[in-house]
Amino acid sequence: MHDTTPAGSADPGQPSPAFRVLQVVLGLEFLALAAVTVWLLVELVTSPASSLASGIALTILTAIAALWLGSLFVGLRNRRPWVRSGIVVWQVLQGALAIGAFQGVFRVAWFGWLLLIPALLAITLVLSRPVTAALVREDADRD
C-alpha cells in the first residue's frame, strides 16, 4: 500500500493543534458538568425540593453524564478511535440543550450561546482531518 502522508506532516506522536483544542474543549465541558453535578447535589441536600424524586433523578442523570463525558476525555487523551462517535453524540445533545435555551418560557440566550459555541467547535474539530488521523487505529495501517 502506498504512503499518502504529506511530506511536511508533523510527527505522528505529536498531537496537532486541532487535537489539543478538542482536548481543551472536552476537558472544560467535563469540568463544567462535574461542577453542575456537585451544585445539584448540594442543592438537593440543602434546599427543599418541590419533588424529591425528580431532584434525585436529575442529580443521578447528571452524574452519569459527567462520568460518560469524563470517559470520553480520557479516551481522547489516550487516542482511542471509539471516542469520535461519543463526542459527536454529546455535542448534538449539548446543541439540543442550547436550542432549548433560546426558546420557551425561560429563555436565557447567553446560556444557549455558552452551550452552542463549544458544541459546534467540538463537532468541527472531531470531524477534521488532523483529529481523524490522530484517532486512526494502529492496526488499520497494516491492512
Side-chain angles (χ1 to χ4, degrees), residues 18-143:
F19 190 82
R20 289 184 185 195
V21 171
L22 180 62
Q23 284 181 315
V24 168
V25 169
L26 203 65
L28 289 174
E29 289 176 348
F30 166 66
L31 290 175
L33 193 59
V36 167
T37 303
V38 170
W39 178 73
L40 284 173
L41 188 59
V42 169
E43 285 293 312
L44 186 66
V45 172
T46 61
S47 300
S50 58
S51 171
L52 185 61
S54 295
I56 291 171
L58 181 63
T59 305
I60 289 172
L61 288 175
T62 307
I64 290 170
L67 290 173
W68 179 45
L69 197 55
S71 70
L72 289 176
F73 177 74
V74 170
L76 181 66
R77 190 187 68 210
N78 294 333
R79 296 188 182 195
R80 301 290 185 232
W82 55 265
V83 301
R84 288 184 71 216
S85 59
I87 291 171
V88 169
V89 167
W90 176 257
Q91 302 311 323
V92 168
L93 291 172
Q94 187 170 313
L97 287 173
I99 290 170
F102 288 127
Q103 56 193 356
V105 177
F106 303 107
R107 288 179 215 151
V108 185
W110 67 267
F111 188 71
W113 288 114
L114 190 67
L115 291 173
L116 188 61
I117 290 171
L120 292 175
L121 178 63
I123 285 178
T124 304
L125 290 172
V126 80
L127 298 177
S128 69
R129 184 168 289 177
V131 173
T132 302
L135 294 176
V136 170
R137 278 195 246 151
E138 301 287 328
D139 58 347
D141 294 334
R142 292 185 228 146
D143 290 341

